[in-house]
Amino acid sequence: MGKPTGFIEFNREPPERRDPRSRIHDYDEFYETWSEQAIQEQSGRCMDCAVPFCHTGCPLGNVIPEFNHQVYLGNWEKATEVLLSTNNFPEFTGRICPAPCEASCVLSINNDPVTIEYIEKEIAERGYENGWIKPQPPSERTGKKVAVVGSGPSGLAAAQQLNRAGHYVTVYERAEKIGGLLMLGIPDFKLEKHIVERKIDLMKKEGVNFVTNTNVGVDYDVQNLINDFDAICLTGGSTEARDLPVDGRTLEGVHFAMEYLTQQNRILSGQTVPENELINAEGKRVVILGGGDTGADCLGTAIRQGAEVVHQFELLPEPPEERPEGNPWPEWPRVLRSSPAHDEGGIRDYNILTKQFVGEDKVEKLQAIRVEWTPDETGRYNMAEVPGSEFDTDTELVLLAMGFVHPEHNGLLDQLGVELDGRGNVKVDANKMTTVPNVFAGGDMVRGQSLVVWAISEGREVARCIDEHLSGSTNLPKTLPVIN
């Protein structure tokens, strides 16, 4: 490696975050500029570890030591080439990926891992600034046509790979903007939308055709795809939100997290929302149910809107700060994680079960009880309510951020007649084909709710399978298996 003793000489120093007191007044990204020297020092921490577990901790199989080495040497163009060989969208993963690669970094055994995610972002940005990331249209076309339904990270990855293989690719998106949750779900303070639009513009120049405001299976007949395309790729995501069927659920002021987040993103893009449809936390006592990333996104948004107070409740116990026994490296660490939004305010609490919402027409209180989790003889944890621990929380806005259960079945999937698995996801074979000939699927629609890096990996893999199906062989790369 460029600096064999770098992991000894340098501590982990990610880019500094903007002061929470100032950043809560805008929706700009969290991070300050990272100096060239700091980036090269952080790349120099990458060890000559012989067996780089980060490769297989990453669902994309990114060859991380190689691009770290090039960054340390100052060879940014070569680093860009190495990174793009496995990752279509490092500008996304460098901002919103939870970095399973870092959890698998050999340094994580007894030290802080290499700042892989932030280095990816810096490589991508230099790639654009210097013109190294540019359109790559195919040199010739196969004549085959593929429809990609869903334009999130999985659909975009599949579309770009299939287009570069020479197929004519059309991406259908039911919303008014391309990008799925990248555009309408993730707040700007984590991923500014011009970053997504930049990539979409590049893909258009490569020859990918995008069609918006088209809900296939609802306002666009599925039979059109079957008639007009040689293959169909389903990448619609896992969008059926987990609900909370308790008394008071239908009171005004109780909303799914994605209703709230997508509305705010539309407002920031210049759209107008009617007053009677506006979901706004200004001056309100807010409760977020769900302790994951979506809940944290709601927290940061509510704070920026001027909420009086924000509670974030989680049903499960508070995770430990250090790895528990039975969760050794290089497994994904089951530890407490905090988003930058948690630096800005809010009150987190755990082991809370919501019993009901109370109010006349609008929600006024959340009634809950504390629970405890104990293992049985098989090691499985069971939940029990703690007697006498009932409590009320005053609230005017409740956001349900409890995850997603499976893709939406009505419309597209029902019309196609694809078989579903036991969890309600689309069932595919080893070649990513559904039970309907020439119809393939990938991403969260197949895996269930997962990470952006898994979505990209799935998109690349389903593209490889479709290319092989249409052409008889493929030069598209196969994604490596992961250890987690």
Side-chain angles (χ1 to χ4, degrees):
M1 305 305 295
K3 186 71 170 176
T5 58
F7 70 97
I8 299 173
E9 296 177 33
F10 307 122
N11 294 322
R12 177 183 168 97
E13 295 288 348
E16 291 186 4
R17 296 173 181 172
R18 297 167 53 216
D19 189 331
R21 292 170 296 182
S22 63
R23 71 182 190 230
I24 62 173
H25 299 295
D26 61 54
Y27 286 83
D28 298 339
E29 283 190 9
F30 289 127
Y31 294 103
E32 301 280 11
T33 302
W34 219 11
S35 73
E36 186 95 3
Q37 179 182 347
I39 302 167
Q40 290 183 293
E41 288 178 354
Q42 292 303 298
S43 297
R45 295 186 72 237
C46 189
M47 305 167 66
D48 187 2
C49 59
V51 181
F53 280 80
C54 56
H55 281 200
T56 50
C58 173
L60 285 166
N62 286 340
V63 281
I64 294 159
E66 284 82 349
F67 68 64
N68 277 328
H69 177 62
Q70 297 301 329
V71 169
Y72 177 76
L73 296 177
N75 297 333
W76 287 97
E77 184 173 6
K78 181 62 177 178
T80 304
E81 178 186 335
V82 172
L83 181 54
L84 292 178
S85 69
T86 57
N87 187 352
N88 298 70
F89 311 125
E91 62 269 69
F92 303 158
T93 56
R95 288 173 165 86
I96 60 174
C97 181
C101 53
E102 294 186 13
S104 297
C105 175
V106 171
L107 266 178
S108 288
I109 297 175
N110 61 358
N111 204 326
D112 295 324
V114 176
T115 54
I116 300 167
E117 178 183 10
Y118 306 113
I119 293 169
E120 279 191 20
K121 174 187 171 184
E122 293 297 331
I123 294 172
E125 292 310 307
R126 281 164 174 74
Y128 278 104
E129 289 168 10
N130 292 282
W132 304 323
I133 298 180
K134 55 189 176 182
Q136 297 179 36
S139 57
E140 59 183 34
R141 291 288 182 179
T142 64
K144 301 290 186 180
K145 297 192 296 182
V146 182
V148 177
V149 184
S151 71
S154 185
L156 292 178
Q160 186 166 57
Q161 293 294 96
L162 286 164
N163 182 72
R164 289 178 175 177
H167 306 299
Y168 292 103
V169 180
T170 300
V171 180
Y172 292 90
E173 169 57 53
R174 64 182 177 181
E176 73 279 9
K177 293 178 179 293
I178 294 295
L181 292 186
L182 297 171
M183 282 296 289
L184 292 175
I186 297 171
D188 284 43
F189 51 77
K190 287 175 64 176
L191 178 63
E192 293 182 9
K193 302 316 167 203
H194 67 88
I195 301 296
V196 184
E197 291 166 344
R198 178 178 63 183
K199 177 61 74 175
I200 302 304
D201 289 342
L202 182 146
M203 292 177 64
K204 288 178 179 177
K205 292 175 182 176
E206 292 181 335
V208 177
N209 181 38
F210 293 102
V211 180
T212 57
N213 294 305
T214 303
N215 193 347
V216 179
V218 177
D219 53 31
Y220 188 87
D221 197 329
V222 166
Q223 194 62 43
N224 291 334
L225 298 189
I226 296 173
N227 294 339
D228 297 343
F229 293 89
D230 298 287
I232 299 170
C233 178
L234 307 179
T235 52
S238 181
T239 53
E240 192 74 31
R242 180 174 285 108
D243 207 342
L244 186 61
V246 298
D247 289 345
R249 168 63 181 89
T250 59
L251 287 171
E252 184 180 337
V254 182
H255 301 275
F256 285 121
M258 278 303 148
E259 294 178 65
Y260 176 63
L261 294 173
T262 56
Q263 185 184 95
Q264 180 59 30
N265 279 342
R266 286 186 165 111
I267 291 171
L268 288 176
S269 72
Q271 295 186 39
T272 301
V273 175
E275 186 68 28
N276 64 332
E277 298 178 12
L278 189 64
I279 310 170
N280 194 289
E282 184 178 3
K284 294 178 180 176
R285 294 162 294 185
V286 180
V287 174
I288 300 165
L289 299 181
D293 285 342
T294 303
D297 291 347
C298 290
L299 171 64
T301 302
I303 289 172
R304 281 162 177 75
Q305 289 180 344
E308 178 184 323
V309 62
V310 184
H311 293 271
Q312 187 175 11
F313 292 159
E314 170 60 64
L315 177 65
L316 298 173
E318 181 176 1
E321 294 190 3
E322 303 291 335
R323 283 180 182 269
E325 290 186 17
N327 179 215
W329 174 92
E331 291 181 355
W332 177 251
R334 298 190 295 271
V335 297
L336 178 65
R337 301 180 188 283
S338 294
S339 164
H342 291 113
D343 297 335
E344 299 167 356
I347 303 166
R348 302 167 84 178
D349 207 346
Y350 300 84
N351 289 313
I352 293 175
L353 173 66
T354 299
K355 301 296 286 185
Q356 66 175 342
F357 304 115
V358 179
E360 291 298 327
D361 298 316
K362 301 179 180 180
V363 65
E364 299 173 8
K365 290 181 183 293
L366 177 146
Q367 293 185 343
I369 189 170
R370 296 194 177 272
V371 298
E372 58 183 4
W373 297 83
T374 54
D376 59 21
E377 61 277 3
T378 67
R380 179 178 179 178
Y381 278 80
N382 297 302
M383 183 186 74
E385 297 180 3
V386 178
S389 64
E390 299 88 349
F391 68 94
D392 294 350
T393 299
D394 293 336
T395 181
E396 294 90 26
L397 176 61
V398 177
L399 302 170
L400 307 181
M402 303 179 299
F404 301 87
V405 290
H406 51 63
E408 295 173 31
H409 298 160
N410 294 335
L412 173 63
L413 299 185
D414 284 347
Q415 286 189 27
L416 281 171
V418 297
E419 187 176 338
L420 306 175
D421 64 18
R423 296 185 301 156
N425 298 320
V426 177
K427 187 176 181 180
V428 296
D429 62 17
N431 296 312
K432 295 290 185 181
M433 188 184 290
T434 70
T435 50
V436 177
N438 302 319
V439 178
F440 297 76
D444 288 4
M445 186 170 267
V446 172
R447 284 184 57 85
Q449 180 186 352
S450 191
L451 310 176
V452 64
V453 68
W454 263 116
I456 299 170
S457 174
E458 284 269 318
R460 288 171 64 90
E461 184 63 14
V462 72
R464 188 188 68 82
C465 293
I466 293 172
D467 183 39
E468 187 169 29
H469 174 74
L470 294 177
S471 305
S473 62
T474 182
N475 291 321
L476 294 178
K478 183 176 179 62
T479 304
L480 296 173
V482 299
I483 56 176
N484 291 324

Short mmCIF file of all heavy atoms in Angstrom, two decimals, residues 130-161:
data_model
loop_
_atom_site.label_atom_id
_atom_site.label_comp_id
_atom_site.label_asym_id
_atom_site.label_seq_id
_atom_site.Cartn_x
_atom_site.Cartn_y
_atom_site.Cartn_z
N ASN A 130 -13.50 16.79 -13.10
CA ASN A 130 -12.43 16.67 -14.09
C ASN A 130 -12.87 15.98 -15.38
O ASN A 130 -12.04 15.73 -16.26
CB ASN A 130 -11.25 15.92 -13.48
CG ASN A 130 -10.56 16.70 -12.38
OD1 ASN A 130 -9.77 17.61 -12.66
ND2 ASN A 130 -10.86 16.38 -11.13
N GLY A 131 -14.16 15.67 -15.49
CA GLY A 131 -14.65 15.07 -16.71
C GLY A 131 -14.33 13.60 -16.88
O GLY A 131 -14.47 13.05 -17.98
N TRP A 132 -13.93 12.94 -15.80
CA TRP A 132 -13.64 11.50 -15.89
C TRP A 132 -14.91 10.66 -15.82
O TRP A 132 -14.95 9.55 -16.31
CB TRP A 132 -12.67 11.08 -14.79
CG TRP A 132 -11.39 11.85 -14.78
CD1 TRP A 132 -10.70 12.29 -15.87
CD2 TRP A 132 -10.66 12.30 -13.63
NE1 TRP A 132 -9.58 12.98 -15.48
CE2 TRP A 132 -9.52 13.01 -14.10
CE3 TRP A 132 -10.84 12.19 -12.25
CZ2 TRP A 132 -8.59 13.57 -13.25
CZ3 TRP A 132 -9.92 12.75 -11.40
CH2 TRP A 132 -8.80 13.43 -11.89
N ILE A 133 -15.93 11.19 -15.13
CA ILE A 133 -17.24 10.54 -15.15
C ILE A 133 -18.03 11.21 -16.26
O ILE A 133 -18.42 12.38 -16.15
CB ILE A 133 -17.96 10.66 -13.80
CG1 ILE A 133 -17.15 9.95 -12.70
CG2 ILE A 133 -19.36 10.07 -13.88
CD1 ILE A 133 -17.78 10.02 -11.33
N LYS A 134 -18.25 10.49 -17.32
CA LYS A 134 -18.87 11.05 -18.51
C LYS A 134 -19.75 9.99 -19.17
O LYS A 134 -19.66 8.80 -18.85
CB LYS A 134 -17.81 11.54 -19.48
CG LYS A 134 -16.78 10.47 -19.86
CD LYS A 134 -15.63 11.07 -20.63
CE LYS A 134 -14.56 10.01 -20.92
NZ LYS A 134 -13.41 10.60 -21.63
N PRO A 135 -20.63 10.40 -20.09
CA PRO A 135 -21.50 9.43 -20.75
C PRO A 135 -20.70 8.35 -21.47
O PRO A 135 -19.67 8.62 -22.09
CB PRO A 135 -22.29 10.29 -21.74
CG PRO A 135 -22.23 11.67 -21.18
CD PRO A 135 -20.90 11.78 -20.51
N GLN A 136 -21.20 7.12 -21.36
CA GLN A 136 -20.58 5.99 -22.04
C GLN A 136 -21.63 5.26 -22.88
O GLN A 136 -22.07 4.16 -22.54
CB GLN A 136 -19.96 5.02 -21.02
CG GLN A 136 -18.84 5.61 -20.19
CD GLN A 136 -18.30 4.61 -19.19
OE1 GLN A 136 -18.21 3.41 -19.46
NE2 GLN A 136 -17.94 5.09 -18.02
N PRO A 137 -22.06 5.87 -23.98
CA PRO A 137 -23.04 5.19 -24.83
C PRO A 137 -22.42 3.95 -25.47
O PRO A 137 -21.21 3.90 -25.68
CB PRO A 137 -23.39 6.25 -25.88
CG PRO A 137 -22.19 7.15 -25.92
CD PRO A 137 -21.64 7.17 -24.53
N PRO A 138 -23.23 2.95 -25.77
CA PRO A 138 -22.68 1.74 -26.37
C PRO A 138 -22.19 2.00 -27.79
O PRO A 138 -22.72 2.87 -28.50
CB PRO A 138 -23.86 0.77 -26.36
CG PRO A 138 -25.07 1.66 -26.36
CD PRO A 138 -24.69 2.87 -25.56
N SER A 139 -21.19 1.26 -28.20
CA SER A 139 -20.66 1.43 -29.55
C SER A 139 -21.60 0.88 -30.61
O SER A 139 -21.58 1.31 -31.77
CB SER A 139 -19.30 0.75 -29.67
OG SER A 139 -19.39 -0.64 -29.34
N GLU A 140 -22.43 -0.08 -30.23
CA GLU A 140 -23.42 -0.63 -31.16
C GLU A 140 -24.63 -1.12 -30.37
O GLU A 140 -24.55 -1.35 -29.17
CB GLU A 140 -22.83 -1.76 -31.99
CG GLU A 140 -22.30 -2.93 -31.18
CD GLU A 140 -21.66 -4.00 -32.05
OE1 GLU A 140 -21.05 -3.64 -33.08
OE2 GLU A 140 -21.78 -5.18 -31.69
N ARG A 141 -25.75 -1.26 -31.05
CA ARG A 141 -26.99 -1.67 -30.41
C ARG A 141 -27.36 -3.10 -30.81
O ARG A 141 -27.07 -3.54 -31.93
CB ARG A 141 -28.13 -0.73 -30.81
CG ARG A 141 -28.02 0.67 -30.25
CD ARG A 141 -28.28 0.69 -28.75
NE ARG A 141 -28.21 2.04 -28.19
CZ ARG A 141 -28.43 2.32 -26.91
NH1 ARG A 141 -28.73 1.33 -26.06
NH2 ARG A 141 -28.34 3.55 -26.47
N THR A 142 -27.98 -3.81 -29.86
CA THR A 142 -28.38 -5.18 -30.12
C THR A 142 -29.72 -5.28 -30.83
O THR A 142 -30.05 -6.33 -31.40
CB THR A 142 -28.50 -5.96 -28.80
OG1 THR A 142 -29.56 -5.39 -28.01
CG2 THR A 142 -27.20 -5.90 -28.00
N GLY A 143 -30.50 -4.21 -30.76
CA GLY A 143 -31.84 -4.25 -31.32
C GLY A 143 -32.89 -4.72 -30.33
O GLY A 143 -34.09 -4.64 -30.60
N LYS A 144 -32.46 -5.22 -29.18
CA LYS A 144 -33.39 -5.68 -28.15
C LYS A 144 -33.86 -4.51 -27.29
O LYS A 144 -33.10 -3.57 -27.02
CB LYS A 144 -32.72 -6.73 -27.25
CG LYS A 144 -32.22 -7.96 -28.00
CD LYS A 144 -33.36 -8.82 -28.51
CE LYS A 144 -32.86 -10.12 -29.12
NZ LYS A 144 -33.97 -10.97 -29.61
N LYS A 145 -35.12 -4.60 -26.83
CA LYS A 145 -35.69 -3.53 -26.02
C LYS A 145 -36.07 -4.07 -24.64
O LYS A 145 -36.67 -5.14 -24.52
CB LYS A 145 -36.92 -2.94 -26.71
CG LYS A 145 -36.63 -2.28 -28.04
CD LYS A 145 -37.81 -1.48 -28.54
CE LYS A 145 -39.01 -2.35 -28.84
NZ LYS A 145 -40.15 -1.55 -29.38
N VAL A 146 -35.71 -3.28 -23.61
CA VAL A 146 -35.99 -3.68 -22.23
C VAL A 146 -36.74 -2.54 -21.53
O VAL A 146 -36.33 -1.37 -21.61
CB VAL A 146 -34.70 -3.99 -21.44
CG1 VAL A 146 -35.04 -4.45 -20.02
CG2 VAL A 146 -33.87 -5.05 -22.15
N ALA A 147 -37.82 -2.89 -20.83
CA ALA A 147 -38.54 -1.93 -20.00
C ALA A 147 -38.14 -2.12 -18.55
O ALA A 147 -38.19 -3.25 -18.03
CB ALA A 147 -40.04 -2.13 -20.16
N VAL A 148 -37.73 -1.06 -17.90
CA VAL A 148 -37.41 -1.07 -16.47
C VAL A 148 -38.51 -0.31 -15.74
O VAL A 148 -38.74 0.87 -16.04
CB VAL A 148 -36.04 -0.44 -16.19
CG1 VAL A 148 -35.76 -0.40 -14.69
CG2 VAL A 148 -34.93 -1.21 -16.91
N VAL A 149 -39.20 -0.96 -14.83
CA VAL A 149 -40.31 -0.33 -14.11
C VAL A 149 -39.84 0.02 -12.70
O VAL A 149 -39.61 -0.85 -11.86
CB VAL A 149 -41.54 -1.26 -14.06
CG1 VAL A 149 -42.71 -0.54 -13.39
CG2 VAL A 149 -41.93 -1.73 -15.45
N GLY A 150 -39.68 1.31 -12.45
CA GLY A 150 -39.16 1.78 -11.17
C GLY A 150 -37.81 2.42 -11.36
O GLY A 150 -36.90 1.80 -11.93
N SER A 151 -37.65 3.66 -10.89
CA SER A 151 -36.41 4.40 -11.18
C SER A 151 -35.60 4.72 -9.93
O SER A 151 -34.86 5.70 -9.90
CB SER A 151 -36.74 5.70 -11.92
OG SER A 151 -37.37 6.64 -11.07
N GLY A 152 -35.73 3.88 -8.91
CA GLY A 152 -34.86 4.03 -7.75
C GLY A 152 -33.46 3.55 -8.08
O GLY A 152 -33.13 3.28 -9.24
N PRO A 153 -32.60 3.43 -7.08
CA PRO A 153 -31.20 3.04 -7.35
C PRO A 153 -31.06 1.69 -8.05
O PRO A 153 -30.17 1.50 -8.88
CB PRO A 153 -30.56 3.02 -5.97
CG PRO A 153 -31.69 3.01 -4.99
CD PRO A 153 -32.82 3.70 -5.66
N SER A 154 -31.96 0.74 -7.75
CA SER A 154 -31.89 -0.56 -8.41
C SER A 154 -32.26 -0.44 -9.88
O SER A 154 -31.57 -0.97 -10.76
CB SER A 154 -32.82 -1.55 -7.70
OG SER A 154 -32.69 -2.84 -8.24
N GLY A 155 -33.35 0.26 -10.16
CA GLY A 155 -33.77 0.45 -11.54
C GLY A 155 -32.77 1.24 -12.36
O GLY A 155 -32.50 0.92 -13.52
N LEU A 156 -32.19 2.27 -11.75
CA LEU A 156 -31.20 3.07 -12.47
C LEU A 156 -29.96 2.26 -12.78
O LEU A 156 -29.39 2.36 -13.86
CB LEU A 156 -30.83 4.31 -11.64
CG LEU A 156 -31.92 5.36 -11.47
CD1 LEU A 156 -31.42 6.51 -10.59
CD2 LEU A 156 -32.39 5.90 -12.82
N ALA A 157 -29.51 1.44 -11.82
CA ALA A 157 -28.33 0.61 -12.04
C ALA A 157 -28.60 -0.40 -13.16
O ALA A 157 -27.76 -0.61 -14.05
CB ALA A 157 -27.93 -0.12 -10.76
N ALA A 158 -29.77 -1.05 -13.11
CA ALA A 158 -30.13 -2.00 -14.15
C ALA A 158 -30.18 -1.32 -15.51
O ALA A 158 -29.67 -1.84 -16.52
CB ALA A 158 -31.46 -2.66 -13.83
N ALA A 159 -30.79 -0.14 -15.56
CA ALA A 159 -30.93 0.58 -16.82
C ALA A 159 -29.58 0.97 -17.41
O ALA A 159 -29.33 0.81 -18.61
CB ALA A 159 -31.79 1.83 -16.60
N GLN A 160 -28.69 1.47 -16.55
CA GLN A 160 -27.39 1.89 -17.07
C GLN A 160 -26.58 0.71 -17.59
O GLN A 160 -25.97 0.77 -18.66
CB GLN A 160 -26.60 2.64 -16.00
CG GLN A 160 -25.30 3.23 -16.54
CD GLN A 160 -24.67 4.24 -15.61
OE1 GLN A 160 -24.38 3.92 -14.47
NE2 GLN A 160 -24.46 5.45 -16.08
N GLN A 161 -26.61 -0.40 -16.85
CA GLN A 161 -25.86 -1.59 -17.28
C GLN A 161 -26.43 -2.16 -18.58
O GLN A 161 -25.69 -2.52 -19.49
CB GLN A 161 -25.88 -2.65 -16.18
CG GLN A 161 -25.13 -2.26 -14.91
CD GLN A 161 -23.64 -2.14 -15.14
OE1 GLN A 161 -23.12 -1.04 -15.37
NE2 GLN A 161 -22.93 -3.26 -15.08
#
